[in-house]
Amino acid sequence: MSQSNHSRREAIERTLEDYKQSGATRRESIQYRGQWRSLEVIRVQPSLLLLNNNNNRLTAQLADHPSRSVVIEDPLSAEAQEVLQALLANTEKFQDLKTELKVLGQQNPGLISRDGLLINGNTRVVALRQLGVDGIDVAVLPIDATNDDYLDMEMSLQMTTLTHQDYTFTNELLMMRKYLVLGHSEEELAVRMGWVRNAKKKIDQADRLLTIIEEVRTLSESALPYQIFDNKKQHLKDLDDEYERLKREGDVQAAEAMKWNRVAAMFLGVAKDQVRTIDEDFFENRIVPRIDDTENTNPLSGYVGDRKNDPLDELLGEAPKRPDMKSFVKELLNDEGMKQDDGTITKDLPSDYSLIEKTIRLAAEEIITENKLEDYRAEPAEILREIRMNLDQVFEKFPEVSRLQGFDASKFDFELRKVRQVVDNLSSRVKAAGEN
């Protein structure tokens, strides 16, 4: 134990002794090793406390940090503590927490070991330090508390109503896996998470979701930040539900194709309701033909590959082949033009990716409309009515849109000719049907 750590421990012991001598009565009850334990609450100087590098609120952020090795090798050093403090100050809702503490003061004590290591309340301590307080209230753990106890208590405290900030999606997944890896049972995890119903199902899905995230991260040649996935929770849950359905039907190949189709759309910024429409054949049947039918070069052509010679091709014609969307995702994640300074994916897509994203959205909306019409058992006339209403909107907005910079008159004219062709063909069929 270093001298500074020894001094810190002595200072905490002296404060605990003063607590007993003064007859102080403030205590905090926590669950410790399966039983409720009442702990003394003391007031200490902010500088006495150590931020916890094993704080599960920071697992994902720390894994992606350039100074991660400094924190891991010497977590008590001044440099490591500064890294942890900066990460905590950048967590979501930190400013709201700081404002709340400024107005209301510290309502709940932190939780520390006898060495001054914060087990609970790291973010609060950083906020209180920034507010310049002279003292911070902390409950002190028993002298025999271990690292396993720290994790157990952190989960118990952070998953209750005492939580000031929610864990991010990825940090929660990482914390759950860590808890199980340390030897705890799924039943214990369910209790810590407060899950009474469908606990096994939730735990299994959490493990699968983290596996998908890690699989995607391995495709990136540089560190892909966990935070990229924090706003994709529903995307991934929907993906997992469909993957498991296809797997139960015995079509793992289709499940894999669907997965990478959806992952590609997710990273191109497509909305979750639209991503939900994407199946294993989406790019093959909906996107490649749609782009081929425009005046644009198809940026997906390099991912289709050469079809192997099949004797049936001459009789049946060459069937379309699913694009290799996993390879597409890999190239997308490693394209420097797609990355921002913090390693996240830009929303300002380069032209080829922008074309694919727009095509996905249009195709997805087409499927959504088809599903609605099918649900309503619509007649062909209802489909035409929907199309006519959309064309009415185009007609009304055309004078304004056509004057905007970037409006492509030739592309518009190309699509208009296609519409006329379809209408003419349909009119011919209607006329022929009437004559029969």
Side-chain angles (χ1 to χ4, degrees), residues 342-362:
D342 61 358
T344 57
I345 303 298
T346 180
K347 294 181 180 180
D348 186 17
L349 299 175
S351 58
D352 280 356
Y353 292 125
S354 179
L355 172 63
I356 297 172
E357 183 267 338
K358 289 177 182 177
T359 308
I360 292 171
R361 285 194 293 104
L362 290 170

Side-chain angles (χ1 to χ4, degrees), residues 27-39 109-111 119-120 139-142 149 153 156-157 162:
R27 304 180 77 85
E28 179 78 4
S29 293
I30 67 165
Q31 277 215 343
Y32 181 71
R33 297 181 181 175
Q35 296 182 339
W36 285 100
R37 182 82 171 257
S38 180
L39 305 178
L111 181 66
I119 310 308
N120 187 50
V140 185
L141 285 167
D149 294 322
M153 285 179 289
S156 178
L157 289 167
L162 296 177

Side-chain angles (χ1 to χ4, degrees), residues 52 111-113 117-122 141 150-151 153-154:
N52 193 343
L111 181 66
I112 65 169
S113 70
L117 181 68
L118 280 156
I119 310 308
N120 187 50
N122 285 265
L141 285 167
Y150 300 160
L151 175 60
M153 285 179 289
E154 182 187 355

Side-chain angles (χ1 to χ4, degrees), residues 385-403:
R385 181 176 179 273
E386 181 107 1
I387 294 171
R388 177 181 59 77
M389 292 174 67
N390 288 335
L391 287 173
D392 284 342
Q393 291 183 20
V394 173
F395 178 78
E396 291 174 5
K397 295 178 180 179
F398 182 79
E400 177 184 351
V401 173
S402 62
R403 291 193 296 268

